[in-house]
Amino acid sequence: MVCNQASVSRDRHHIIDLLLPDHRAGRLEVKVVFGPQHGLFGHTQDNMIEWEGRLDPRTGLRVASLYGEHREPTAAMLAGVDRLVVDLPDVGARYYTFIWTLALCMRACARLRIPVTVLDRPNPIGGLQVEGPVLDPEFASFVGLHPLPIRHSMTVGEVATYLQQNFIPNVQLDVAKMEGWSREFYFEDTGLPWVMPSPNMPTVDTAVVYPGGCLLEGTNLSEGRGTTRPFEMVGAPYVDGWSLCDGLNALELSGCGFRPIQFEPTSNKWKGQICEGVFVHVLDRAQFRPFMTYVAILREIRRLCGTDLEWVSGPYEYEFAKRPIDIIAGNGWLAEAIDGLSPLEEILVQMNMGLRSFTPLRDRALLYN
């Protein structure tokens, strides 16, 4: 199976512990447990920190890494496996690598004729609002192997269905559907316990802003790593937080407001230095558009700070040639539009061009009303 620390039941029992009694009684055999980025139990903090598997001393199970020497399981790693079960809670943004671990597992299993069962999970930020440019295949990477918009509003099972229908047709896929989930639900509506799926995703509020906040990883701005509110905070020593806040609030962006802040990251970019910037307050989730909000933030910082705002160089998620901002955005035009201070309306029009052709493909893959 493929899982991580968030693969828990309603009463907080991990899937490994739920299957152990049957494994030990011989009713099934867990041949191998695969873990994605950040490790099986979230022990690696940051991007591009690899880990390798081992024999788990508590359970006696073999744990293998899909974020180390291999990101796609090999035939040797899958030897003796009759079915691969995937239970990977996601956060609803194309950059989050767990759905691409799923895609690579589906590809490997298609080649080896191993059936794949996906245990579906709620999209914590709902299933209605689709936003952001659709990935240009020229910018494919481990934060986007196939065309998806940045906020896809699909469940893991729906993403798997979309991948099978369009890119991995030979995989035998079964989706164990949820009961009682509605597309308008945010995670709090499910009654399930929130377990951090990765170290810098501490709350549902983090997931809500993440489809925009991850753009900051392609810049020299702090995205709040090394603070208690990653991705809700943005800043740098060269930013005047009060001027930035005034400029952003004047835009009257939907569903949010901004407050000037100072903060000192304890790790990552600008560690130990005082940063100024803004805190993004989401006032109405249904109206909030995270991608365009953070595009507006970057555009305003470019206007106020000029060349102090930099697009950082790679490598980023195993891409060594292209700039991180371009593979995060999934195209080469967004950074140019921000550099040129293009009106937000023009950026929105270009973004929506790709969504028109993606919508019917998405509709065909949806499993829930």
Side-chain angles (χ1 to χ4, degrees):
M1 59 183 154
V2 189
C3 59
N4 70 359
Q5 71 273 12
S7 306
V8 301
S9 65
R10 181 177 292 273
D11 53 0
R12 303 174 306 284
H13 294 299
H14 194 270
I15 188 172
I16 291 176
D17 297 311
L18 293 173
L19 293 182
L20 267 180
D22 285 335
H23 171 78
R24 288 170 173 162
R27 290 186 288 270
L28 62 82
E29 182 183 2
V30 181
K31 294 288 290 187
V32 57
V33 179
F34 293 105
Q37 183 180 14
H38 302 296
L40 181 59
F41 286 99
H43 66 275
T44 62
Q45 263 287 325
D46 220 334
N47 300 329
M48 293 294 291
I49 299 177
E50 296 183 336
W51 65 282
E52 295 302 334
R54 61 177 184 142
L55 192 69
D56 179 47
R58 184 179 72 87
T59 63
L61 297 177
R62 181 166 65 96
V63 175
S65 172
L66 294 179
Y67 198 78
E69 182 181 357
H70 301 286
R71 282 174 292 151
E72 180 175 328
T74 65
M77 295 166 79
L78 289 166
V81 171
D82 298 313
R83 178 174 294 271
L84 189 70
V85 176
V86 180
D87 183 14
L88 279 178
D90 187 46
V91 299
R94 190 258 296 157
Y95 337 96
Y96 214 56
T97 61
F98 296 165
I99 56 173
W100 306 118
T101 294
L102 167 63
L104 293 176
C105 287
M106 291 171 62
R107 190 164 77 183
C109 288
R111 188 168 55 249
L112 297 169
R113 302 186 181 222
I114 298 172
V116 176
T117 294
V118 173
L119 307 184
D120 210 2
R121 293 271 183 168
N123 184 324
I125 60 174
L128 294 176
Q129 299 171 9
V130 179
E131 189 193 12
V134 176
L135 173 78
D136 179 344
E138 182 182 341
F139 293 87
S141 72
F142 198 46
V143 290
L145 293 174
H146 297 290
L148 269 183
I150 284 168
R151 183 178 182 179
H152 49 73
S153 283
M154 302 166 79
T155 69
V156 177
E158 291 174 336
V159 171
T161 302
Y162 165 75
L163 293 173
Q164 181 201 42
Q165 290 174 346
N166 297 283
F167 306 104
I168 318 171
N170 295 328
V171 67
Q172 180 182 326
L173 175 68
D174 300 296
V175 177
K177 291 177 62 176
M178 296 178 285
E179 295 180 357
W181 186 74
S182 297
R183 304 205 75 85
E184 69 272 14
F185 280 7
Y186 280 78
F187 194 82
E188 294 94 340
D189 298 313
T190 68
L192 298 172
W194 176 260
V195 178
M196 294 192 303
S198 58
N200 284 286
M201 196 61 61
T203 68
V204 182
D205 290 335
T206 321
V208 169
V209 301
Y210 181 71
C214 186
L215 291 170
L216 304 175
E217 293 186 4
T219 75
N220 66 342
L221 293 162
S222 169
E223 63 270 16
R225 290 179 186 269
T227 76
T228 59
R229 302 303 290 261
F231 300 107
E232 294 176 273
M233 302 170 69
V234 50
Y238 59 80
V239 174
D240 179 333
W242 277 254
S243 296
L244 175 61
C245 183
D246 289 343
L248 289 170
N249 282 326
L251 295 174
E252 298 184 340
L253 298 172
S254 298
C256 66
F258 304 89
R259 173 174 56 87
I261 56 170
Q262 291 185 342
F263 62 97
E264 182 180 323
T266 59
S267 62
N268 209 271
K269 288 179 277 186
W270 306 110
K271 174 183 176 181
Q273 298 187 55
I274 300 296
C275 297
E276 278 193 18
V278 293
F279 192 99
V280 181
H281 288 273
V282 178
L283 309 176
D284 184 338
R285 287 179 176 178
Q287 297 297 319
F288 178 59
R289 296 297 180 262
F291 178 78
M292 285 304 298
T293 297
Y294 280 76
V295 168
I297 292 171
L298 288 172
R299 183 184 178 280
E300 190 67 9
I301 293 174
R302 175 64 80 208
R303 185 182 73 81
L304 292 170
C305 302
T307 57
D308 286 340
L309 170 63
E310 298 175 1
W311 308 118
V312 297
S313 57
Y316 182 86
E317 292 299 353
Y318 297 94
E319 170 58 48
F320 292 85
K322 294 183 174 65
R323 294 186 303 180
I325 187 61
D326 295 331
I327 62 170
I328 292 169
N331 59 67
W333 61 262
L334 180 65
E336 292 183 5
I338 292 169
D339 287 340
L341 301 181
S342 295
L344 294 177
E345 295 78 8
E346 290 183 9
I347 295 173
L348 184 62
V349 167
Q350 185 152 1
M351 178 188 83
N352 287 338
M353 288 173 59
L355 288 177
R356 283 196 290 271
S357 58
F358 172 76
T359 297
L361 300 178
R362 176 181 180 271
D363 289 347
R364 193 160 64 102
L366 298 184
L367 303 174
Y368 308 92
N369 295 324

